[in-house]
Amino acid sequence: MALDQRKTDFTQVGTRPNRPDGLDKVTGKARFGADITAPGMLFGAILRSPHAHARIKHIDTSKAEALSDVKAIVTRADFSDAIKPAPGLEGEQWNVLENVMAGDTALYDGHAIAAVAATSALAARDALKLIEVEYEVLPHVTDVDKAMAKDAPVIREGAADYSVPEGMHPNVVRYHESGHGDVEAGFAKADLVVEEHFVTEATHQGYIEPHACLAQLGQDGKGELWCCTQGHWYVQKNCAALLGIETSQLRVTASEIGGGFGGKTTVFIEPVALALSRKSNRPVKLVMSRPEVFRATGPTASTSMDIKIGMTADGIITAAQGTFRLQGGAFPGAPADMTAMCAFAPYDLKNVQQIGYDVMSNRPKQAAYRAPGSPMAAYAVESVIDELCRKLDLDPIEVRLKNAAREGTKASYGPKFERIGLVETLEAAKAHPHYSAPLKPGQGRGISCGFWFNHGGETSVSLSLSEDGTCQISVGTPDIGGSRASMALMAAEVLGIPYESIRVTIADTATLGYNDVSHGSRVTYASGLATIKAAEDAVAKLSKRAAVKWGIPEDAVKWEDGHAVPSGPNAGNFDPMPLAEITRDMGKTGGPISGHFEATPEGAGVSFATHIVDAEVDPETGKTAVTRYTVIQDAGKAIHPTYVEGQFQGGAAQGIGWALNEEYIYGEDGRLQNAVFLDYRIPVASDLPMIDTVIVEVPNPGHPFGVRGVGETSICPPLAAIANAVSAAAGVRLHALPMSPPRILAALEQQRAKTG
Amino acid sequence: MSTKIHVSATVNGDAVDYLCDPRETLLDVLRDRLNLTGAKEGCGTGDCGACSITLNGRLVCSCLVLGVEAAGQEIATVEGIAAGETLHPLQQKFIDHAALQCGICTPGILVAAKALLEKNPDPSETEVRYWLAGNLCRCTGYDKIIRAVMDAAAEMREAS
């Protein structure tokens, strides 16, 4: 796409105004997923499998149906592959349906089996207890290495695609290999080669708002759905397919969303609520409980990884090789390719090879979680680089600078980088007072780099002007962390009107063209680009109207600071005309003035971050305290710097939880052991220090204002940075996350036994 | 099914009456019977603090209180924090400091922070962090929240 030359002299972009939805959110008025009701509404509840793997032999709903409070019960028979026998659903949509409601087999603890709609939430839960399910329990596997072993139970025959080499276990369903050069020759040139094995556990996105929706679907195939989601067009498309109705007949409105981080990019309960509504002919509200969120929505993949890196004595990486096994749960789709491609992306490598395996097991289907795959890969790779630096007695930032990818570098995953900002983040890290601050005894310092691709995606934005010169913008990407503010700032910049004169609305699926999900750090980039272009479209029309009023040619008007200004030899002599004067008379000069833009922008621009962290390990208990944390990341251009900082800080905090505490714990029976926040403990305020941030701005050539995505890159470095800090503090390296107190204590005791 | 019980209580200064199932939580009563959806259910087990309210001035998770237990009590929720059109200093500082991203934890944190400042108008950063340790936020990393609470406390001390 041809873009304008980049703008750098901003008047509004880069300022920090209050967010437009702030008041609603501090007064409790904002309407989230579970906050809406409809007349005659029923409450839904879902029966879930208590087994990790079991054949469903028979479901008897008669006792539940006999209750007067119960208005509908649905099972798999109420979805489209059953009600529309041929051709049925294929590919990913079949997987989505199978996950939403089990077919012949329950594939994980928590897999949905049946659902009830009743007159109250308590009545619905009571009714679930009366549904009788006869299971034949099957052997299960919940560990990625075991799931690849020869004798592992097969989750689903025939799920693997063409990419998988012959001879692999049927649970290996996707295979990725990329790289360039000759790694063996590279290792031969190294003065030191380090090869290590790492594992990470699955972690949950941990948004505080459980999934919730309110569905209404009639026998005529027309419906409405209100839900908390990162992408309501995706919800519309998939629900329509699963229910066997026409997409356009289902109008989906996104509520305010209480966090997502990738976990609200797919559907879980929405098709179930629609099926219950169709059957009962009443609106149905369905809200997940927290244990349901943990058991049946997307955690990340767990991993098993082997990393081998060779380095010369002066710190040049001669070769790098990685093998990444990702456990994606009971369906294909673990980000094995992303993990492999991100692993070595920060470095300019002559010889590099990465291999990824997507492996199925009896766990919930993994979902995207902030830069899917990249944090785990960075943990393994950056730990090995840290180990090389220690053994060769080299400064970790200097080594990374020596090997850093720059503009023109051939990326480990293939293409050449355009303008990127990794070196700038490393230089800023080196210069930051944190990096040279003295450490107390028992403390260690770690650093790590991280990389994420960022994303464009289908985007449509409409903007309309009012007679009083104010503006309203309809965007299709749910505001998950302040994007209304960014959109308003970008439009204000182009139109030259105050930020406060702009209202940003998250449009529903009936009022705007298709919009891709709020994921891939795409919103400020793609919706922002579309907002700028829509505003420019409006500016062109405004200029034309001014020309009409002045009676001069269209091309004799330019737009400056919110005013039409005559320009050029044939323009004549007129005072600048403010936007509000043009809109006041727009009915007389040609009618309403609006701007529109739709495209699939492809210049997202990759981004990099460098994190510095200090950690203190208690040798008696193995407990780690993070004592200082600094995030340095390239934002391209920070539209609203405060919210950029917030993304940086939030990513770091989630990374701290992942590194130190959070994990899915499975019992021998294949059931999740810690499906509540008390046992799956995300960081609380007293676990964390203030998190310092440095915003680096190396403009993205693919965006009119230079924006790169910021939401995901911030979680790429923390796992490794903390692992490196813990390793420095404890004097022992851990090869498994989370580095919980028992794991650290065991490593310390092993070390003590070794050294006597 | 079960017989419902008649309860009278006060919410944000207003007298209310409701019928509820003896198993129903106060959170469900507030949200589903009184249409006060400011308090959020994040966990249902008292671990996340999103449903924080005060009951006779004491900070509680409303998901751990039964609706029937509120009989005769004074309930305060996020909807009652602002005085008419004037925001409480905490609310204003949360907006000014961008101390919210998705905003789902915000009502609970505001109620909890208000309870802290009523008890201790001059808390240290550590005291704020420990007091709010029962309120989970997954977006912000807490930095801006802690700053907003400290700033509101300072402003309220000056004003008093």
Side-chain angles (χ1 to χ4, degrees):
Chain A
M1 169 190 309
L3 294 170
D4 308 343
Q5 65 193 50
R6 271 195 325 279
K7 187 174 162 68
T8 51
D9 53 331
F10 298 104
T11 56
Q12 307 211 46
V13 159
T15 62
R16 302 169 184 251
N18 287 338
R19 61 190 292 162
D21 54 338
L23 185 81
D24 283 352
K25 287 186 172 167
V26 299
T27 53
K29 284 187 198 128
R31 283 172 296 171
F32 289 86
D35 294 342
I36 198 158
T37 54
M41 183 180 88
L42 301 173
F43 293 79
I46 296 178
L47 181 71
R48 297 183 179 276
S49 168
H51 304 293
H53 200 189
R55 189 160 294 121
I56 301 165
K57 295 177 74 175
H58 183 65
I59 304 176
D60 182 355
T61 58
S62 57
K63 285 181 189 159
E65 273 165 21
L67 298 176
S68 63
D69 293 336
V70 171
K71 304 300 176 190
I73 297 180
V74 298
T75 63
R76 181 58 174 271
D78 296 281
F79 291 89
S80 86
D81 69 338
I83 59 177
K84 283 171 89 183
L89 297 170
E90 287 175 356
E92 182 55 22
Q93 275 175 343
W94 188 88
N95 288 323
V96 171
L97 172 58
E98 189 72 15
N99 191 32
V100 159
M101 189 62 73
D104 300 332
T105 312
L107 296 170
Y108 58 91
D109 164 43
H111 200 167
I113 306 294
V116 171
T119 52
S120 74
L122 285 171
R125 269 183 271 161
D126 288 340
L128 291 187
K129 293 175 194 152
L130 298 176
I131 298 176
E132 292 166 359
V133 185
E134 195 185 336
Y135 294 102
E136 177 193 343
V137 177
L138 303 170
H140 68 269
V141 60
T142 57
D143 174 272
V144 65
D145 291 317
K146 285 179 187 161
M148 291 175 78
K150 210 171 145 193
D151 57 349
V154 176
I155 314 302
R156 179 152 58 86
E157 281 294 355
D161 75 1
Y162 64 92
S163 66
V164 180
E166 272 185 40
M168 301 295 302
H169 190 282
N171 290 343
V172 179
V173 289
R174 302 281 184 274
Y175 175 84
H176 168 91
E177 186 176 346
S178 57
H180 54 254
D182 179 344
V183 285
E184 290 313 320
F187 288 128
K189 284 186 200 153
D191 293 308
L192 180 64
V193 175
V194 169
E195 184 173 10
E196 289 181 357
H197 177 69
F198 298 89
V199 297
T200 66
E201 246 312 332
T203 52
H204 197 275
Q205 294 81 348
Y207 33 81
I208 307 302
E209 179 199 37
H211 300 255
C213 67
L214 174 62
Q216 188 158 13
L217 180 60
Q219 297 297 320
D220 59 358
K222 293 189 172 71
E224 298 212 20
L225 181 68
W226 159 279
C227 62
C228 56
T229 176
Q230 291 176 245
H232 36 309
W233 276 268
Y234 177 91
V235 171
Q236 180 197 37
K237 186 169 69 177
N238 279 277
C239 286
L242 269 51
L243 274 297
I245 59 174
E246 287 179 5
T247 305
S248 305
Q249 299 299 339
L250 180 64
R251 179 179 187 174
V252 184
T253 306
S255 68
E256 292 301 325
I257 175 172
F261 316 108
K264 289 178 185 163
T265 56
T266 185
V267 294
F268 298 103
I269 56 173
E270 297 82 358
V272 179
L274 286 164
L276 285 168
S277 174
R278 177 161 64 187
K279 208 160 181 176
S280 63
N281 204 18
R282 288 173 62 171
V284 175
K285 176 141 112 180
L286 192 42
V287 182
M288 273 192 172
S289 69
R290 181 55 55 176
E292 284 184 285
V293 172
F294 277 116
R295 288 169 71 209
T297 69
T300 57
S302 71
T303 67
S304 158
M305 303 175 281
D306 293 302
I307 305 295
K308 184 177 179 182
I309 299 176
M311 196 178 273
T312 60
D314 61 350
I316 302 294
I317 298 173
T318 58
Q321 193 173 35
T323 304
F324 306 89
R325 301 167 203 90
L326 277 90
Q327 170 170 242
F331 300 91
D337 49 353
M338 299 288 193
T339 310
M341 291 194 284
C342 289
F344 301 108
Y347 303 110
D348 180 1
L349 302 172
K350 299 288 169 285
N351 307 295
V352 59
Q353 184 200 35
Q354 53 257 334
I355 293 171
Y357 297 94
D358 174 358
V359 186
M360 296 204 328
S361 68
N362 295 111
R363 289 194 184 204
K365 176 177 167 61
Q366 73 86 40
Y369 180 15
R370 239 178 167 154
S374 183
M376 303 87 113
Y379 160 61
V381 169
E382 297 281 323
S383 293
V384 170
I385 292 177
D386 194 63
E387 204 60 29
L388 285 157
C389 292
R390 275 166 215 264
K391 287 184 171 154
L392 294 168
D393 195 23
L394 298 168
D395 177 82
I397 290 187
E398 292 300 338
V399 165
R400 285 169 173 85
L401 274 169
K402 272 187 186 177
N403 295 285
R406 292 167 160 80
E407 185 173 0
T409 296
K410 182 176 167 60
S412 56
Y413 57 88
K416 278 191 178 163
F417 285 123
E418 293 190 36
R419 185 79 180 90
I420 54 172
L422 173 62
V423 167
E424 285 80 354
T425 69
L426 282 162
E427 295 285 4
K430 195 166 70 171
H432 196 282
H434 183 172
Y435 194 59
S436 49
L439 286 164
K440 290 184 190 144
Q443 293 183 338
R445 178 165 297 148
I447 74 141
S448 172
C449 295
F451 162 85
W452 182 244
F453 301 98
N454 298 325
H455 178 56
E458 290 171 73
T459 309
S460 171
V461 165
S462 282
L463 172 157
S464 64
L465 292 160
S466 305
E467 287 180 341
D468 61 358
T470 61
C471 169
Q472 65 111 358
I473 307 174
S474 296
V475 299
T477 37
D479 180 352
I480 202 162
S483 60
R484 286 183 182 95
S486 319
M487 297 309 135
L489 275 170
M490 285 185 264
E493 186 74 46
V494 176
L495 294 169
I497 61 174
Y499 166 85
E500 292 77 14
S501 298
I502 297 176
R503 178 168 182 145
V504 181
T505 303
I506 312 304
D508 66 63
T509 58
T511 53
L512 196 63
Y514 186 92
N515 272 273
D516 198 359
V517 180
S518 287
H519 69 164
S521 295
R522 74 176 214 90
V523 174
T524 313
Y525 167 72
S527 288
L529 182 149
T531 297
I532 292 165
K533 293 287 175 188
E536 287 173 351
D537 186 26
V539 161
K541 290 171 186 167
L542 284 160
S543 302
K544 193 175 164 184
R545 300 298 176 87
V548 170
K549 283 166 75 91
W550 280 325
I552 63 174
E554 280 173 38
D555 60 1
V557 179
K558 63 175 182 179
W559 194 255
E560 261 179 22
D561 194 25
H563 293 72
V565 180
S567 166
N570 55 353
N573 193 15
F574 301 98
D575 288 339
M577 190 183 293
L579 181 144
E581 191 180 323
I582 305 170
T583 55
R584 190 187 64 207
D585 296 334
M586 63 189 177
K588 294 175 216 150
T589 56
I593 300 175
S594 59
H596 186 76
F597 186 79
E598 53 202 6
T600 304
E602 284 169 357
V606 302
S607 65
F608 294 88
T610 301
H611 290 197
I612 314 172
V613 56
D614 295 350
E616 197 170 285
V617 176
D618 182 343
E620 304 275 318
T621 63
K623 186 186 184 317
T624 300
V626 173
T627 53
R628 188 168 179 181
Y629 204 108
T630 305
V631 177
I632 302 143
Q633 184 176 322
D634 176 18
K637 174 66 195 171
I639 300 299
H640 191 303
T642 307
Y643 283 103
V644 171
E645 291 164 8
Q647 291 295 328
F648 287 7
Q649 291 164 331
Q654 290 186 343
I656 292 169
W658 195 340
L660 297 178
N661 219 15
E662 296 178 36
E663 63 178 315
Y664 265 43
I665 300 169
Y666 279 89
E668 287 294 311
D669 57 2
R671 302 190 65 182
L672 184 62
Q673 304 291 293
N674 58 334
V676 289
F677 271 138
L678 183 65
D679 298 326
Y680 183 95
R681 192 171 172 281
I682 70 173
V684 303
S686 54
D687 291 331
L688 300 178
M690 291 297 191
I691 297 169
D692 201 1
T693 56
V694 178
I695 302 174
V696 171
E697 293 183 312
V698 176
N700 168 20
H703 187 275
F705 292 175
V707 165
R708 296 177 199 272
V710 296
E712 289 171 290
T713 306
S714 57
I715 204 173
C716 301
L719 280 52
I722 296 158
N724 293 340
V726 165
S727 171
V732 54
R733 182 166 296 279
L734 277 86
H735 293 84
L737 295 186
M739 295 176 290
S740 55
R743 283 211 178 102
I744 290 187
L745 208 53
L748 285 172
E749 277 163 6
Q750 209 177 4
Q751 176 92 335
R752 284 173 200 144
K754 221 189 286 175
T755 55
Chain B
M1 299 290 287
S2 53
T3 311
K4 290 196 170 56
I5 293 172
H6 175 253
V7 176
S8 298
T10 307
V11 180
N12 300 326
D14 297 336
V16 297
D17 283 276
Y18 54 85
L19 288 173
C20 74
D21 185 294
R23 295 179 297 163
E24 230 168 311
T25 67
L26 179 55
L27 176 61
D28 288 337
V29 166
L30 287 169
R31 293 178 54 81
D32 297 337
R33 304 209 178 273
L34 303 176
N35 290 321
L36 290 168
T37 55
K40 307 299 178 190
E41 177 158 341
C43 68
T45 49
D47 298 321
C48 80
C51 67
S52 296
I53 58 156
T54 59
L55 203 55
N56 292 338
R58 185 162 165 257
L59 182 65
V60 295
C61 287
S62 58
C63 72
L64 296 183
V65 178
L66 291 171
V68 292
E69 289 181 275
Q73 316 269 315
E74 280 189 28
I75 299 160
T77 72
V78 69
E79 286 94 342
I81 291 185
E85 62 181 16
T86 310
L87 292 181
H88 187 277
L90 275 164
Q91 292 174 308
Q92 189 58 50
K93 292 297 180 191
F94 267 60
I95 296 175
D96 294 344
H97 285 261
L100 62 148
Q101 276 164 222
C102 80
I104 192 86
C105 68
T106 310
I109 291 186
L110 287 168
V111 170
K114 182 168 175 275
L116 167 65
L117 299 188
E118 278 162 12
K119 205 177 156 78
N120 178 2
D122 190 10
S124 67
E125 182 196 327
T126 304
E127 283 168 330
V128 176
R129 284 187 179 276
Y130 276 91
W131 182 270
L132 292 181
N135 291 83
L136 300 179
C137 168
R138 191 59 156 172
C139 295
T140 62
Y142 302 105
D143 186 302
K144 295 185 195 306
I145 291 174
I146 304 300
R147 289 179 202 277
V149 174
M150 302 285 286
D151 193 17
E155 189 181 283
M156 287 166 71
R157 286 196 304 276
E158 250 172 55
S160 64

